[in-house]
Amino acid sequence: MRAYRVIVPGQARLVDVDRPSPGPGEVLLRVAATGVCHSDVFIRKALPVFRMPLPVTLGHEVVGEIAATGPGVTRWEAGQLAAAYVLRGCGVCAPCQRGHDNLCHAGYRGLGTHFDGGMADYVAVRADAIADAAGLDPVAAAPLTDAGLTALHAVNSIDRPGATLKRIVVIGVGGLGHLAVQVVAHRFDAEIVAVDRDPERLELARKLGARHSVRSDGSEAAAIRDLAGGREIDAVLDFVGSDSTLRVAAEVTNRGAQVVVAGLGGGSLPFEAKSVSTFFPEVSLRRVSAGTRQELAEVLDLGRAGAVHAETVTYPLERAGAAIDDVAAGTVIGRAVIVP
Ligand code: NAD
Ligand code: ZN
């Protein structure tokens, strides 16, 4: 079968490999669709910090039909459509026992990063780490498994004890952000303020439920304060995570606001413990990582209900490298999805 693999850091290509056979507790998926994440740009470089075993097949947003089940698998059978959970925790620590592999005490490993992913004709995955994708279009469902999962988890991280949130800022309307706008619109009555560099993505954000859109050109913090009548922002979801977006979050949030950072843009901002500091008092800051197994099922349900829909551009498996290049260049609106 074909697989798009990282051979050495920064060098990936489509190669012929043996079709995996499902081991004990595993299922073999015939891949129907695999989303391309901005993270794939960095995973393909196999940065030392990822400690990746090479070669490894890329692709961590996978939906496929079960082609075969391994020994001991009783809950699933051939022919079912399944979505893979992106993480693999140790399975024994308390968070893993609750399905929170994203909090695994031993540190989780990732599909398409530490073990073979879905940019291939087939992939073997653990049967306890798949969710039922029946009734979903595989191309639209694949981005839900990581972009949608992380967006939902970011939104679920906002807590609102008794208070109604009036205004929520979503920074970065890419693969994750365009799904987050929809989850926020579905969950909150709040006004959504979308922020991006690209007018086309801002237009998409408005179509998906954002009330306001702000072009990030260096003056976005002032523009947000203008439209909000000051720092009337209750939450910021940052899907970029650069110096400038963290700074915007600090400059628009009110007392008691919540900032959730999902983007891995390498940004930093000093945390100042003094009376007049970067963030207003009582602002909470949270960095999120993917989501839980329960949230995977939850986001697929949102997809089935039509509350969340991924905008997609499809590529054949032969063009997996080009798809990642396009995501790196920022020319894909929504999510690139590889269909083998
Ligand atoms: P993407 O390329 O699809 O989207 C990025 C969006 O951000 C684009 O719309 C782009 O125009 C916009 N943007 C870039 N710089 C900006 C700026 N300074 N101000 C405003 N907008 C800006 O990427 P994606 O796949 O949605 O991933 C987004 C980020 O989330 C990446 O850093 C990725 O690595 C990370 N990620 C994190 C997790 C997690 O578990 N925390 C999971 C998946 C992806
Ligand atoms: Zn990802």
Side-chain angles (χ1 to χ4, degrees):
M1 68 163 199
R2 301 164 305 160
Y4 183 70
R5 314 194 93 188
V6 184
I7 312 294
V8 294
Q11 271 184 43
R13 59 175 187 270
L14 196 64
V15 292
D16 253 315
V17 294
D18 289 340
R19 182 192 298 184
S21 52
E26 288 186 339
V27 298
L28 180 69
L29 298 182
R30 181 183 302 115
V31 178
T34 295
V36 181
C37 182
H38 203 109
S39 302
D40 287 319
V41 176
F42 308 108
I43 298 169
R44 185 168 61 176
K45 291 181 184 157
L47 301 178
V49 63
F50 297 147
R51 298 167 178 272
M52 289 164 56
L54 298 181
V56 71
T57 305
L58 291 175
H60 57 263
E61 295 189 337
V62 190
V63 170
E65 189 187 287
I66 297 177
T69 56
V73 175
T74 52
R75 234 192 91 198
W76 301 96
E77 56 186 53
Q80 285 184 278
L81 193 66
Y85 180 56
V86 56
L87 305 178
R88 185 183 288 177
C90 71
V92 294
C93 71
C96 278
Q97 292 280 309
R98 298 197 311 274
H100 294 221
D101 296 48
N102 58 332
L103 299 178
C104 174
H105 289 172
Y108 53 74
R109 295 182 304 143
L111 174 64
T113 305
H114 304 106
F115 50 98
D116 288 335
M119 293 189 191
D121 290 309
Y122 291 85
V123 60
V125 292
R126 264 192 358 210
D128 64 0
I130 55 175
D132 191 2
L136 287 162
D137 164 32
V139 171
L144 298 182
T145 64
D146 171 51
L149 174 73
T150 307
L152 174 68
H153 182 63
V155 174
N156 283 345
S157 307
I158 300 175
D159 79 317
R160 41 175 170 166
T164 328
L165 304 183
K166 276 210 309 264
R167 211 168 280 110
I168 299 177
V169 173
V170 176
I171 305 179
V173 190
L176 274 65
H178 90 290
L179 295 170
V181 167
Q182 297 175 64
V183 178
V184 173
H186 180 69
R187 287 283 167 81
F188 296 91
D189 285 329
E191 271 180 23
I192 301 170
V193 182
V195 181
D196 203 289
R197 293 196 292 218
D198 174 22
E200 222 181 313
R201 289 158 209 254
L202 291 174
E203 198 183 310
L204 174 65
R206 280 195 301 272
K207 215 175 77 190
L208 298 175
R211 170 85 65 89
H212 306 282
S213 59
V214 173
R215 179 105 181 253
S216 47
D217 55 6
S219 61
E220 58 271 32
I224 295 167
R225 288 195 303 266
D226 275 353
L227 69 84
R231 283 179 168 244
E232 297 293 321
I233 302 296
D234 302 301
V236 174
L237 301 175
D238 182 355
F239 295 100
V240 178
S242 67
D243 287 354
S244 65
T245 60
L246 294 173
R247 171 64 60 186
V248 168
E251 290 179 354
V252 303
T253 38
N254 213 340
R255 290 177 177 76
Q258 305 173 56
V259 177
V260 181
V261 182
L264 301 169
S268 60
L269 191 69
F271 183 90
E272 297 166 326
K274 57 187 188 189
S275 55
V276 178
S277 78
T278 340
F279 286 95
F280 262 14
E282 303 285 332
V283 171
S284 70
L285 195 56
R286 183 163 184 163
R287 201 163 76 77
V288 292
S289 180
T292 67
R293 292 173 190 227
Q294 291 83 344
E295 284 170 326
L296 174 59
E298 201 180 324
V299 76
L300 295 174
D301 280 343
L302 290 176
R304 267 184 211 100
V308 173
H309 180 80
E311 299 285 319
T312 57
V313 183
T314 57
Y315 292 76
L317 184 55
E318 301 77 44
R319 300 200 65 237
I324 298 175
D325 293 343
D326 289 352
V327 170
T331 57
V332 177
I333 307 278
R335 203 66 155 171
V337 176
I338 292 164
V339 179

